[in-house]
Amino acid sequence: MKNIALILASGTGERSGLNQPKQFFEVGGQTLLEHSVGAFDRHVLIDDIIVVAHHDFLEQTVALTRRFKKVIKVIAGGATRQESSYNGVFSIEEAENVLIHDAARAFVSEEIISTCIDGLSKHDAVCAAIEASDTILEVNETGKIICVPNRNFLRCAQTPQCFKLELIKLAHRIARTNGQIVTDDCGLVLANNLADVYVVAGSSCNLKITYSRDLEFARWIYAQEGISNE
Ligand code: CTP
Ligand code: MG
């Protein structure tokens, strides 16, 4: 059974307000991209890694990931995360499972990757997630609260989001035909009711670096956790 990791690193990091895409920012002497790729490269159950990079930064991405022995190719992404995921998924020739991961979640752990792969032995689609610590409010366009969903049934989605390869290919194909736009890969499967998707345990350390302040927090986590970057 072949497990492929697809690392999405084709964003431009607009919200960070920083002067280069956030995957190239360094924590503990390595870029966020290297931390993400390294976690999958070290994992004994991952066979190959494909990195999806912004076309303006292809060479930089190749240079940073060359030393990881499981990286088989670096391909160009698209204008949206969904397009980048599409390009990545359809660049996979053969595999059983695909684990799609945001390069910006640089501290994905060996345990999360193992839990995801184990989840795919029971389900066709799984998503790393954590419990919602805050109460989540649903509001209308005027800001009026219309619903306070029961927190016990709420989860915050992370990545990896993981699928049987044929399932995620089908979901992408249908979404493209129908012009569906979703924010994540699980949404593609759910929008078309193609499979049940189950959550597996993520971690608060598996944060997505989005704003510049997240980078400070990431440095703090790195220092606290002593995350391996061998
Ligand atoms: N991503 C991608 N292709 C895109 C947009 C995003 O591969 N066209 C990747 C990013 O590189 C990131 C992950 O998807 O690893 C999550 O996206 P996000 O946090 O939104 O990153 P950016 O799009 O880079 O940031 P922003 O939305 O602030 O511009
Ligand atoms: Mg984005």
Side-chain angles (χ1 to χ4, degrees), residues 99-113:
L99 288 76
I100 304 177
H101 186 65
D102 292 336
R105 291 185 191 274
F107 303 133
V108 59
S109 64
E110 180 183 5
E111 189 180 0
I112 293 175
I113 297 170

Side-chain angles (χ1 to χ4, degrees), residues 112-143:
I112 293 175
I113 297 170
S114 298
T115 305
C116 285
I117 293 171
D118 184 54
L120 281 182
S121 67
K122 299 166 196 136
H123 308 292
D124 289 343
V126 297
C127 175
I130 56 171
E131 292 185 359
S133 55
D134 292 323
T135 293
I136 308 287
L137 306 174
E138 186 177 347
V139 298
N140 70 10
E141 55 289 342
T142 71

Side-chain angles (χ1 to χ4, degrees), residues 110-186:
E110 180 183 5
E111 189 180 0
I112 293 175
I113 297 170
S114 298
T115 305
C116 285
I117 293 171
D118 184 54
L120 281 182
S121 67
K122 299 166 196 136
H123 308 292
D124 289 343
V126 297
C127 175
I130 56 171
E131 292 185 359
S133 55
D134 292 323
T135 293
I136 308 287
L137 306 174
E138 186 177 347
V139 298
N140 70 10
E141 55 289 342
T142 71
K144 189 176 96 171
I145 296 170
I146 53 173
C147 177
V148 184
N150 183 340
R151 204 171 64 196
N152 294 332
F153 297 111
L154 295 178
R155 298 290 183 274
C156 301
Q158 301 186 331
T159 67
Q161 298 196 353
C162 315
F163 309 89
K164 297 291 167 192
L165 178 61
E166 291 314 314
L167 172 64
I168 192 65
K169 280 190 171 174
L170 177 65
H172 265 301
R173 220 179 275 124
I174 293 173
R176 185 156 283 206
T177 304
N178 297 343
Q180 291 168 324
I181 296 169
V182 296
T183 56
D184 68 347
D185 301 288
C186 290

Side-chain angles (χ1 to χ4, degrees), residues 8-15 22 78-81 84 102-104 208:
L8 299 184
S10 186
T12 51
E14 296 299 314
R15 284 172 292 175
K22 58 201 183 186
T80 64
R81 186 189 181 284
S84 297
D102 292 336
K208 182 161 70 68

Side-chain angles (χ1 to χ4, degrees), residues 10 19 39 61 72 78 90 94 124 153 173 179 183-184 202 224 230:
S10 186
N19 59 358
T61 305
I72 53 167
F90 282 95
E94 135 328 270
D124 289 343
F153 297 111
R173 220 179 275 124
T183 56
D184 68 347
Q224 300 298 308
E230 292 305 303

